[in-house]
């Protein structure tokens, strides 16, 4: 799941950075990469138009598995000159992006929240579920 989130994120950022074919390529002005024997890593780059990305990964023992916990960020300016920033963590709790560009979920109305709490506290017996 974490690998999918990372690939999806990088794909979206790459698509957002793609320029039309008639423009000049944007050079990479800084790049760094470090991979450790234990699986920890970090990489970063910056392009000539000011776009930046960085990511670190650290193995974390969880039960019988050792997934890599990722943390990273990206910043760029869109074609209209608007700056964008994104930071994220991807760990045992899933992909957790943070950005002003991500719409916030609306608050659940109080009446619906109370109804959901009631339903969770009073589950139907299996026999009632089958009749419904």
């Amino acid at each position: 799941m974490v690998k999918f989130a990372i690939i999806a994120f990088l794909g979206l950022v790459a698509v957002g950075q793609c320029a039309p074919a008639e423009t000049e390529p944007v050079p990479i002005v800084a790049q760094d990469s470090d991979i450790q024997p234990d699986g920890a890593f970090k990489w970063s780059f910056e392009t000539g138009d000011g776009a930046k990305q960085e990511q670190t990964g650290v193995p974390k023992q969880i039960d019988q598995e050792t997934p890599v916990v990722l943390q990273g960020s990206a910043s760029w300016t869109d074609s209209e000159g608007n700056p964008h920033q994104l930071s994220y963590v991807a760990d045992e709790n899933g992909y957790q992006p943070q950005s002003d560009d991500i719409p916030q979920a609306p608050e659940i109305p109080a009446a619906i929240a109370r109804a959901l709490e009631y339903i969770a506290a009073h589950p139907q017996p299996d026999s009632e579920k089958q009749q419904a």
Side-chain angles (χ1 to χ4, degrees), residues 55-67:
Q55 185 177 69
T56 60
V58 179
K60 181 177 181 181
Q61 184 69 39
I62 301 174
D63 297 326
Q64 312 316 303
E65 298 181 19
T66 309

Side-chain angles (χ1 to χ4, degrees), residues 61-101:
Q61 184 69 39
I62 301 174
D63 297 326
Q64 312 316 303
E65 298 181 19
T66 309
V68 175
V69 175
L70 302 172
Q71 186 171 10
S73 65
S75 61
W76 68 96
T77 302
D78 66 25
S79 59
E80 281 109 34
N82 300 311
H84 300 274
Q85 291 186 326
L86 171 75
S87 61
Y88 59 91
V89 171
D91 60 13
E92 67 273 12
N93 298 312
Y95 178 64
Q96 304 153 55
Q98 294 182 344
S99 173
D100 290 340
D101 294 329

